[in-house]
Amino acid sequence: MRPTFIVNNRNKQGFVGTAVAGALSQTVPCEILISDFKSTDKSTDEIKRAIDESPRGASHDVRFVTCPLHPAQTMQSVNEHFDWMVSQTKGEWIFQSSSDDYSLPDRVRVCMEAVENHPCSVVATTMWFEKPGEAKRQARSGFPTETGYVKPGEGLLRLAYGSVIAAYHRDFLTRVGNGGPNTLDVYYGFMAALDKGFYVVCDQQHVHVEHESVNNIGFQGKMRGAGGDDLLRLAELNHFQLLQLYDGVAECCKRLHPDGINPDDWDALLNMIFGQAKGWLEARKVLHAKGVTPGVL
């Protein structure tokens, strides 16, 4: 069965064409689903243009759809869009690209070759980082390991799960369920490492575009685009949402592993929870001292 490659978009008209071209460039035949989440800009025009004009690296099955769910500017809404897209596809492996990033042609190929010899729940490649309008790319390692597998707790402490681009096995997504308000790369990354494994191919086959936008769902883009009091509010909100993320991971662990997990992995998770709780408290102190209304009331 063909791997599935999905591109989820909302109001990214300046980037989505490149993301679609990256999906179509894959050298392995894929089921490709591009979904727009009721954009209010010219995203749909860019998607149609990219589908018509972009070179194809293989004979793909391509569909462009509009997600029927109600969009909101939250991670919860983004994750619901992701789940809906997965439900519309059939592939055993689900590759995903945000519409403001893009994949290089061999991303699916190197991952599918890896899983033939390395059973896992999630397979990932390392990434390039690129600023808009600049051709120069900076490589980031993505925390390579000797075996390729990332240990659950070590992956948390070394921030490994967010430094790569992942593809998910469909059965694993079914077992773990909806990510709720949580950042999926970390949420699914830790749970995959506890499951059949989180495997990383050290081959930069995806590009993360470091653009600035206060309307971005991801915090890196928000922080780059913010300033003044907004930057202080975002710093506090970031700690809160990371605390919520790690607490969500802990709840998922209790549900899927009622007999407990490796103590070292649990300790790593608790360290992340306590660290973000302390960070949130310190950020609130700064807001209070400056008389700035916090982002989390």
Side-chain angles (χ1 to χ4, degrees), residues 172-235:
F172 166 73
L173 293 178
T174 300
R175 284 195 298 277
V176 176
N178 183 270
N182 301 306
T183 305
L184 292 186
D185 52 6
V186 179
Y187 185 76
Y188 284 151
F190 185 80
M191 299 312 300
L194 290 176
D195 193 56
K196 295 180 180 178
F198 185 97
Y199 188 82
V200 178
V201 183
C202 290
D203 185 346
Q204 283 85 6
Q205 286 296 331
H206 188 74
V207 179
H208 175 72
V209 180
E210 297 180 304
H211 69 94
E212 302 176 0
S213 174
V214 293
N215 295 319
N216 208 47
I217 296 296
F219 257 90
Q220 289 186 20
K222 281 182 180 288
M223 296 290 280
R224 285 191 290 265
D229 290 349
D230 286 339
L231 188 59
L232 296 177
R233 291 190 185 94
L234 281 174

Side-chain angles (χ1 to χ4, degrees), residues 58-227:
S59 178
H60 303 300
D61 297 323
V62 183
R63 286 184 292 147
F64 171 39
V65 297
T66 298
C67 179
L69 304 178
H70 180 70
Q73 198 70 9
T74 64
M75 188 61 70
Q76 175 89 36
S77 184
V78 171
N79 292 346
E80 288 172 357
H81 188 191
F82 173 80
D83 288 345
W84 180 82
M85 293 184 74
V86 171
S87 74
Q88 305 302 303
T89 62
K90 299 178 180 179
E92 181 181 20
W93 284 95
I94 314 294
F95 290 78
Q96 181 265 346
S97 173
S98 298
S99 59
D100 50 0
D101 297 331
Y102 62 96
S103 292
L104 301 180
D106 282 328
R107 179 185 166 198
V108 173
R109 180 186 65 79
V110 299
C111 288
M112 290 295 91
E113 290 177 355
V115 299
E116 289 181 3
N117 298 308
H118 304 282
C120 56
S121 298
V122 168
V123 60
T125 71
T126 47
M127 298 191 292
W128 297 95
F129 285 66
E130 178 180 283
K131 295 186 182 300
E134 294 184 9
K136 183 180 179 181
R137 297 172 182 164
Q138 284 189 319
R140 305 282 176 90
S141 70
F143 180 54
T145 68
E146 184 176 345
T147 66
Y149 290 99
V150 176
K151 295 179 181 178
E154 191 172 27
L156 279 184
L157 296 175
R158 293 177 178 259
L159 306 180
Y161 304 121
S163 62
V164 295
I165 182 68
Y168 309 98
H169 196 281
R170 183 177 295 273
D171 290 346
F172 166 73
L173 293 178
T174 300
R175 284 195 298 277
V176 176
N178 183 270
N182 301 306
T183 305
L184 292 186
D185 52 6
V186 179
Y187 185 76
Y188 284 151
F190 185 80
M191 299 312 300
L194 290 176
D195 193 56
K196 295 180 180 178
F198 185 97
Y199 188 82
V200 178
V201 183
C202 290
D203 185 346
Q204 283 85 6
Q205 286 296 331
H206 188 74
V207 179
H208 175 72
V209 180
E210 297 180 304
H211 69 94
E212 302 176 0
S213 174
V214 293
N215 295 319
N216 208 47
I217 296 296
F219 257 90
Q220 289 186 20
K222 281 182 180 288
M223 296 290 280
R224 285 191 290 265

